[in-house]
Amino acid sequence: MTDPEAELMATAARLYYLDDLDQREVAAILDVSRSKVSRLLTAARARGIVQISVTPFEPRDIALEGRLRDRFGLRHAVVVRAGGRGTASVRRTIGHFAAPVVAGLIRPGAVVGIAGGRTVGELVGALSPTDRVPGVRVVQLMGQIDPTARMVDAAELGRAMAQRFGGPFLSLNAPAFARDRATRDTFLDHEHIRLVWREFAALDLALVGLGSLDDSVFAERGVLDRADYARLRELGAVGEICGRFFDRDGRECASEFRDRVLSIDLDRLRGRSEVVAVTNGAARREVTLAALRGGLVTSIVIDDLGAEALLAAAPARAADRL
């Protein structure tokens, strides 16, 4: 016996998927509401009347990943195909497809450090609650950029990541930059801060962003001004990790900010077994190359255009003289 509801689902599906009518046009033909059409299409997929197939597509560029690993001696490289779309879309695409890979690097009992960043934020947001690994501790690697906590800040990302992995979060309750060295030292003398600092030595994995001088969250939020960046450029700075500015060889610049910043220091970061830089775009190739030269990162998550720019900027077989 004919099922009228199933026939209605099939008709709606035919009109929508094969005849390329929109839901308003389908609703007019079937003399139902648009919301009814939406329910019919959903039910048609649930009952197998509609079976959608997608041509196999690999969202990662495996060839580029291999070239990056070989050129720069990386432990891991994740290159996500983003095709030069808008920056926000590129970040979301990287986060979605790289999240399972990064989750796979986190072992039971691991201590994971996290910095702030917009692309890092997309990756953390894409981690699934099913990615829980027992015994994971998450540690904030740098202080607060300003009093207004935002979802791309290290504190918020650390809390979100700890929640996803079902473990504790150790927050760094201090500003990213203290007023002066004496104030910085006062913060460092506090027992809560010392507890976090001790965790830095135990990090199994760190997730960091790479900030350039031309596109900096510190300038965007008014923490540093044009004069500050002019002084940093005079000292040879090309970018920063966790508020620590470094030159083209990955060496921290001897600026006033080095004595004011509250974050993991570059030498300690350099000594960790796994430091994953999460970045995007060709515009960050200079700061990314500097971090690679200085041995500040061991692995990279990046989009395809950013990866191609890195390879073009560093001649083949020249990883040892970047």
Side-chain angles (χ1 to χ4, degrees), residues 20 22 69 88 92 190 214 298:
D20 203 27
D22 63 30
R69 287 194 303 270
R92 285 192 291 269
H190 195 286
D214 297 319
T298 63

Side-chain angles (χ1 to χ4, degrees), residues 187-208:
F187 276 112
L188 292 178
D189 194 46
H190 195 286
E191 176 57 29
H192 290 182
I193 305 297
R194 291 205 305 270
L195 177 63
V196 175
W197 239 250
R198 286 195 290 270
E199 292 291 324
F200 290 166
L203 289 177
D204 297 295
L205 181 147
L207 285 177
V208 300

